[in-house]
Amino acid sequence: MSHEFYSILGVEPSATPEEIKKAYRKKAMEHHPDRHQGDKGKEADFKKINEAYATLSDEQKKAHYDRFWTSETMWQWGFGGQGFGAEFNMGDIFETFFNGGGGFGGSASGGRRREVGEDLELELDITFEESYRGVKKEIAFTKKVICSDCKGSGAKSKDSVATCPDCGGAGKVRRRVQTLFGVMEQATSCDRCGGTGKVIRDACSGCKGKKYVSQKRTRTIDVPAGIDDEMTIKLRDEGHEGIDGSGDLFVHFRVPNEFENLTRDEHHLVCTIKFDPVEFVLGTKREIDIPILGKREIDVKPGTDPNSQLVFRHEGFPNISTKAGPRGNLIVLIALEIPKKLTRKERELYEAIAKEKKLDTYDSKGFFGKLFE
Ligand SMILES: [Zn+2]
Ligand SMILES: [Zn+2]
């Protein structure tokens, strides 16, 4: 006879605050008086659930309860026989979750479980250039749709639907549960009919009674310019269909890069161009061919440092996360390429410079001699 509050919520004493909160929400939903109008037993259960949660969701009260397996209020109404304190407002905690409540989509939904379709996910490869320019892509996928033969009832005809024998059409069944307060009755959604109160005698031949059929779909999607590798687009309501609404379709993008010297850095486009050391020293102008964008005139001023950047404003990717503001830039990275092999003439000229600057260097035979000590 310990840890009753935990069994009321149906959690272990080791449950985390998140698990307790989740369990409470579920129990409170099941027992909310809105769903069981005039049922005094239900109302009492609901109070107990709230009371248990009031203690277990409060760090201090929970610590006290864990230690002594009791709370002040529990003595009052649990063992003192005074019933529930009149000051206890069962709406209080509940409203903190549901913003004032207002029921669960009305009592018309009864005990039927909501059936919202599952989300769909697929991967889509686009090229680096397509990610820069944007592209229309056709995607093909298979999704669950509501069977058109039975309109989602799963039954062959109206006559093949019967009242559920387990719940007598109520959609709810009562279960007897042992708690601190004695045996309590709880109403839960009927397993046999899923809370609909109806069972099917003759299944629809179109869907074999499953209510849904698989269907191949194609769709053209507008992939906006600026989509990066590992980004995802959500297409609302394009997922599997459900009686109560469709899931969403998530398209995950992969952007393999086919270019060697072109990369993406956030929303900048970075093109690496290699230059000879002499070009760095003396400066040069060169027309280069930038993949995707075409020709650009590159002006490398005399005395440029390796890995300097030339910036062409607003020629990069659109800023897709904010969908506003300027595009990123095209950045041309001036990279240094050191010649690994020299012609004899080149070697002579380099050595002449070394001599002129009194620099100790290796000679052509790989010998290092200190010439200028
Ligand atoms: Zn039933
Ligand atoms: Zn069907």
Side-chain angles (χ1 to χ4, degrees), residues 164 166-167 190 192-193 197:
C164 172
D166 282 16
C167 62
C190 173
R192 180 149 181 181
C193 62

PDB file of all heavy atoms in Angstrom, residues 164 166-167 190 192-193 197, ligand 1:
ATOM      1  N   CYS A 164     -21.404  -2.832 -31.912  1.00  0.00           N
ATOM      2  CA  CYS A 164     -20.311  -3.568 -31.281  1.00  0.00           C
ATOM      3  C   CYS A 164     -20.829  -4.340 -30.061  1.00  0.00           C
ATOM      4  O   CYS A 164     -21.447  -3.747 -29.176  1.00  0.00           O
ATOM      5  CB  CYS A 164     -19.215  -2.589 -30.860  1.00  0.00           C
ATOM      6  SG  CYS A 164     -17.912  -3.337 -29.879  1.00  0.00           S
ATOM      7  N   ASP A 166     -19.146  -5.691 -27.678  1.00  0.00           N
ATOM      8  CA  ASP A 166     -18.353  -5.457 -26.465  1.00  0.00           C
ATOM      9  C   ASP A 166     -18.813  -4.235 -25.684  1.00  0.00           C
ATOM     10  O   ASP A 166     -18.818  -4.224 -24.469  1.00  0.00           O
ATOM     11  CB  ASP A 166     -16.867  -5.302 -26.808  1.00  0.00           C
ATOM     12  CG  ASP A 166     -16.213  -6.654 -27.059  1.00  0.00           C
ATOM     13  OD1 ASP A 166     -16.966  -7.636 -27.265  1.00  0.00           O
ATOM     14  OD2 ASP A 166     -14.967  -6.713 -27.035  1.00  0.00           O
ATOM     15  N   CYS A 167     -19.169  -3.191 -26.422  1.00  0.00           N
ATOM     16  CA  CYS A 167     -19.523  -1.946 -25.727  1.00  0.00           C
ATOM     17  C   CYS A 167     -20.978  -1.577 -25.957  1.00  0.00           C
ATOM     18  O   CYS A 167     -21.441  -0.540 -25.485  1.00  0.00           O
ATOM     19  CB  CYS A 167     -18.615  -0.811 -26.190  1.00  0.00           C
ATOM     20  SG  CYS A 167     -18.757  -0.440 -27.954  1.00  0.00           S
ATOM     21  N   CYS A 190     -13.289   1.512 -26.426  1.00  0.00           N
ATOM     22  CA  CYS A 190     -13.466   0.076 -26.666  1.00  0.00           C
ATOM     23  C   CYS A 190     -12.434  -0.432 -27.672  1.00  0.00           C
ATOM     24  O   CYS A 190     -12.268   0.140 -28.743  1.00  0.00           O
ATOM     25  CB  CYS A 190     -14.879  -0.173 -27.193  1.00  0.00           C
ATOM     26  SG  CYS A 190     -15.159  -1.883 -27.705  1.00  0.00           S
ATOM     27  N   ARG A 192     -12.354  -3.325 -29.265  1.00  0.00           N
ATOM     28  CA  ARG A 192     -12.912  -4.092 -30.382  1.00  0.00           C
ATOM     29  C   ARG A 192     -13.339  -3.213 -31.554  1.00  0.00           C
ATOM     30  O   ARG A 192     -13.068  -3.509 -32.698  1.00  0.00           O
ATOM     31  CB  ARG A 192     -14.110  -4.898 -29.886  1.00  0.00           C
ATOM     32  CG  ARG A 192     -14.744  -5.719 -30.992  1.00  0.00           C
ATOM     33  CD  ARG A 192     -15.333  -6.979 -30.443  1.00  0.00           C
ATOM     34  NE  ARG A 192     -15.928  -7.800 -31.471  1.00  0.00           N
ATOM     35  CZ  ARG A 192     -16.526  -8.951 -31.208  1.00  0.00           C
ATOM     36  NH1 ARG A 192     -16.581  -9.388 -29.962  1.00  0.00           N
ATOM     37  NH2 ARG A 192     -17.059  -9.662 -32.171  1.00  0.00           N
ATOM     38  N   CYS A 193     -13.995  -2.096 -31.222  1.00  0.00           N
ATOM     39  CA  CYS A 193     -14.520  -1.246 -32.292  1.00  0.00           C
ATOM     40  C   CYS A 193     -13.726   0.051 -32.419  1.00  0.00           C
ATOM     41  O   CYS A 193     -14.066   0.904 -33.235  1.00  0.00           O
ATOM     42  CB  CYS A 193     -15.989  -0.929 -32.030  1.00  0.00           C
ATOM     43  SG  CYS A 193     -16.245  -0.018 -30.506  1.00  0.00           S
ATOM     44  N   GLY A 197     -18.171   2.176 -31.746  1.00  0.00           N
ATOM     45  CA  GLY A 197     -19.431   1.572 -31.329  1.00  0.00           C
ATOM     46  C   GLY A 197     -19.998   0.621 -32.382  1.00  0.00           C
ATOM     47  O   GLY A 197     -21.062   0.058 -32.206  1.00  0.00           O
TER      48      GLY A 197
HETATM   49 ZN    ZN B   1     -17.055  -1.472 -29.031  1.00  0.00          ZN
END
